[in-house]
Structures are given as structure tokens and as C-alpha cells.
Amino acid sequence: ETGVTQTPRHLVMGMTNKKSLKCEQHLGHNAMYWYKQSAKKPLELMFVYNFKEQTENNSVPSRFSPECPNSSHLFLHLHTLQPEDSALYLCASSQDFGTGWEGYTFGSGTRLTVV
Amino acid sequence: SQQGEEDPQALSIQEGENATMNCSYKTSINNLQWYRQNSGRGLVHLILIRSNEREKHSGRLRVTLDTSKKSSSLLITASRAADTASYFCATDGVNSGSRLTFGEGTQLTVNP
């Protein structure tokens, strides 16, 4: 375990469903991230939260809706997805960027399949 | 253009051999990191090298950074079958704070 927990590990949903992905960390980090990893493509940054405030939305379609109620929890709400949204969704956390920053801690990911 | 491009895309070696992967990037950076990913799992942070460092070691890992060429290499010595995974470099640009940009990765296969 890395200290970043993602649930569920696997999710199959229809295009009309609404579901949520959850990420939780108790590392004392104050920045959290959602990344999308599709086959044969680099990781794509989706959202960044710093001290539970969204600081970046990387042109993500509105069918993906993030929520960060506190610095330890991050959600990704999904609705009316398309088959091309099928991917591995990775959550990561980190300390403040600055001197001594040591990068991200990732969760194990949620494998999402849209049918 | 893609920040953090790894080369080669795939590498297959025998156990005990050394594996070298390269990464190139395009903009000025604060740090460069290497991550490892086992199939279908999350990424694990391996090592971070700062822009003012040229070489760093951690166990069987050796990372070099050449900021004049905007390139880095990851060397894994005395490889083991358990090193089989995808390896990614990631950079944080000078003006991007903690936002990391990842390359497409190198798939390393170590044959027993």
C-alpha cells in the first residue's frame, strides 16, 4: 500500500449511468491529482487540487466532475460517459511544491470500462 | 510537442544485464523524476533528480541529468525478472509548480 487508496479497483458502467471514483490519502499531503491513462498514450492530467481548491482543469469534458471536500479525499463523479473514456484513472497526492519536494504518491488506480 | 519522451519504447534483456532508458524533454525544469508501473497498477516513485544535480544513485538505480541537452537516463544494474515493468520519466516545468508531465514510457522486459 502506498498510502493513497482508490476505490473501486474496477468499474464497468453503461453510458447512461452515474458513478463516482474515490481517492483517499492520510499522508498529510495537501495537493491531489486525477490522471487518465489510456492505452499507448501518456498520462493525461485532468484536475489538480491544492488545499482542497481546484487549481487546474485541463480542458476536461463536463461529464467528469471532481470534488474535493477536504485535503484527504478526492472524488471523480462520472455521468453520461463515452466508450472512449474507458481507461485507468489514477489519483496521486503530494506535499507542497518547493524545496524538498519529492514528487507524487499514486494510488493503484480504477480500471473503468464504459459499455 | 510532448514533454518527457522516453526511448526506447520497449526493451527486452536477460536477467543480470543492465538496462538503460532515456528521456528527453523540451522546456526548462525544476526536477525530473522516474516512476515505475507494473501492469494495470499505479505508478511508484523511484528517484528524483533536481535541475542542479548531474547524477544520483539509489540502490541499483543510477540517474543522470544533462540540462544542456534536456535529457536524462535511467540505468538499472544487474536486472532481475521482478524489474519487468513500464518506466516513465516526469518533469515539472519551471512555471508549472507541482504539475508533472509524463512521457509515454519504456516497457522493460527482463527474461529469467
Side-chain angles (χ1 to χ4, degrees):
Chain A
E1 287 297 329
T2 63
V4 178
T5 304
Q6 286 187 247
T7 54
R9 288 295 314 279
H10 301 272
L11 178 62
V12 180
M13 60 186 289
M15 289 189 283
T16 59
N17 290 160
K18 288 185 180 181
K19 296 285 184 184
S20 296
L21 310 185
K22 180 181 177 182
C23 178
E24 185 173 351
Q25 60 91 7
H26 296 288
L27 300 170
H29 291 169
N30 40 40
M32 296 186 79
Y33 313 83
W34 280 117
Y35 276 84
K36 175 184 177 182
Q37 187 178 34
S38 305
K40 306 212 185 292
K41 291 176 70 175
L43 272 77
E44 300 172 55
L45 178 65
M46 300 176 73
F47 301 105
V48 180
Y49 277 83
N50 228 307
F51 291 98
K52 71 179 185 175
E53 298 295 323
Q54 187 180 125
T55 57
E56 185 150 354
N57 175 341
N58 206 24
S59 302
V60 180
S62 60
R63 58 185 183 270
F64 294 91
S65 174
E67 179 191 0
C68 188
N70 54 61
S71 294
S72 299
H73 294 86
L74 184 64
F75 295 89
L76 188 62
H77 304 300
L78 316 171
H79 64 97
T80 23
L81 295 193
Q82 305 297 312
E84 60 264 29
D85 296 323
S86 298
L88 182 67
Y89 287 85
L90 292 164
C91 173
S93 69
S94 76
Q95 281 287 18
D96 283 345
F97 183 77
T99 303
W101 188 67
E102 286 292 337
Y104 293 177
T105 303
F106 278 89
S108 295
T110 295
R111 172 66 63 187
L112 173 67
T113 304
V114 181
V115 297
Chain B
S1 56
Q2 186 66 44
Q3 180 87 333
E5 298 181 10
E6 288 90 344
D7 159 52
Q9 288 190 324
L11 180 62
S12 181
I13 59 174
Q14 295 300 123
E15 225 171 9
E17 293 180 342
N18 295 342
T20 300
M21 290 162 269
N22 302 297
C23 168
S24 61
Y25 58 92
K26 298 190 188 308
T27 62
S28 296
I29 62 170
N30 291 309
N31 308 285
L32 185 143
Q33 305 172 52
W34 286 90
Y35 288 81
R36 165 200 167 118
Q37 183 180 34
N38 285 43
S39 180
R41 307 282 298 186
L43 280 73
V44 176
H45 181 262
L46 294 176
I47 195 165
L48 179 150
I49 187 164
R50 305 192 191 281
S51 59
N52 61 354
E53 298 177 308
R54 292 296 166 257
E55 188 171 313
K56 200 162 182 180
H57 297 255
S58 176
R60 293 184 296 113
L61 304 181
R62 172 177 167 252
V63 170
T64 62
L65 178 64
D66 187 335
T67 53
S68 67
K69 295 181 179 177
K70 291 187 169 57
S71 67
S72 172
S73 67
L74 172 67
L75 168 68
I76 304 175
T77 60
S79 63
R80 305 166 182 167
D83 294 329
T84 295
S86 292
Y87 291 82
F88 296 87
C89 70
T91 55
D92 54 82
V94 166
N95 298 313
S96 63
S98 64
R99 179 166 61 85
L100 290 181
T101 302
F102 288 82
E104 295 184 23
T106 293
Q107 172 61 50
L108 173 67
T109 303
V110 181
N111 301 299

